[in-house]
Amino acid sequence: MRWARRLWHEILDALYPPRCAGCGLVGIEGWCEECAGQIEYVAPPVCNRCGTPLSPEEFCASCRANPLVMEAVRAAAHYRGVVQSAIHRCKYGKRPAVAPALADLLVTGWQSPLTEPLHSAEVVIPMPIHPQRERERGFNQSLLIAAHFCYHTGLSLIQGVLERVVYHRPQVGLDASERRQNVRDAFRVVQSQQVVGRTVLLIDDVWTTGSTLNEAAKALLSAGAARVFAYTVAHEPLSTM
Ligand SMILES: [Zn+2]
Ligand SMILES: [Zn+2]
């Protein structure tokens, strides 16, 4: 009978599409009041480079040991509670309708002094996923999030410039150096004239060590981008996985 239940849920979903991004409450666009109150936005202090919260130094130990090629990375919220459930619902529950609610966190975080270093960005590029993964999921959540973010901030989104050319195993469960190895040379820039001399803002859903974003940034910098920043919906500390 499980299939019948699932089918019934699918039918309900199709009939009543708006749901709270966090708890799935039907009839809510974005976040219900209760979930909105539970969102934990990132607050200072953070590492100047990677944005890791609770770093009392200018740069965290990881940035001192393995400097990122990106100028600065920031996340809007912590990867916990309702934010974590919403990202799961979007990616693994295959609900693209959750993406605008995730982008709203980026829009809110854009008002915070924490994201000021990123405001010099001229163009926005969503983190690409491998075409095979995009077929499995049906969409690229980062593209949907970036499009909504750009709509609200007036920044310009450029698409089809950065490609993910290697299909890697997921980063989950890997330590920092394994993560760097796993994503080596994963990206390729196909229309470099669009990034030459420009300051790029990469948009992604979650960042953990920044190794995937950093690899994408390397490809953009070798294609001639002036500087690369990254901004994600949530920050997930590596130690809590
Ligand atoms: Zn809710
Ligand atoms: Zn750092």
Side-chain angles (χ1 to χ4, degrees), residues 136-212:
E136 288 160 9
R137 192 171 293 159
F139 57 95
N140 174 7
Q141 72 283 355
S142 298
L143 169 61
L144 301 180
I145 293 166
H148 192 84
F149 171 71
C150 287
Y151 174 77
H152 284 276
T153 55
L155 288 162
S156 50
L157 179 82
I158 55 174
Q159 270 193 76
V161 171
L162 185 65
E163 283 182 352
R164 190 153 186 161
V165 288
V166 186
Y167 189 85
H168 294 97
R169 62 187 168 130
Q171 299 276 73
V172 174
L174 305 182
D175 71 21
S177 80
E178 287 167 337
R179 281 167 179 255
R180 284 194 296 275
Q181 275 302 328
N182 191 39
V183 294
R184 190 145 288 169
D185 300 322
F187 298 93
R188 164 174 84 189
V189 173
V190 283
Q191 297 174 46
S192 53
Q193 74 281 6
Q194 296 225 56
V195 296
V196 170
R198 299 178 107 174
T199 301
V200 175
L201 180 65
L202 283 168
I203 296 282
D204 206 358
D205 52 350
V206 183
W207 94 266
T208 305
T209 60
S211 52
T212 314

Side-chain angles (χ1 to χ4, degrees), residues 47 49-52 59-63:
C47 166
R49 180 68 56 135
C50 72
T52 294
F59 298 108
C60 72
S62 160
C63 285

Side-chain angles (χ1 to χ4, degrees), residues 20-25 31-36 82:
C20 167
C23 65
L25 185 67
W31 302 88
C32 76
E33 220 169 288
E34 201 176 328
C35 287
V82 292

Side-chain angles (χ1 to χ4, degrees), residues 207-228:
W207 94 266
T208 305
T209 60
S211 52
T212 314
L213 284 161
N214 205 51
E215 206 57 33
K218 279 184 199 164
L220 289 164
L221 290 167
S222 16
R227 296 187 300 165
V228 180

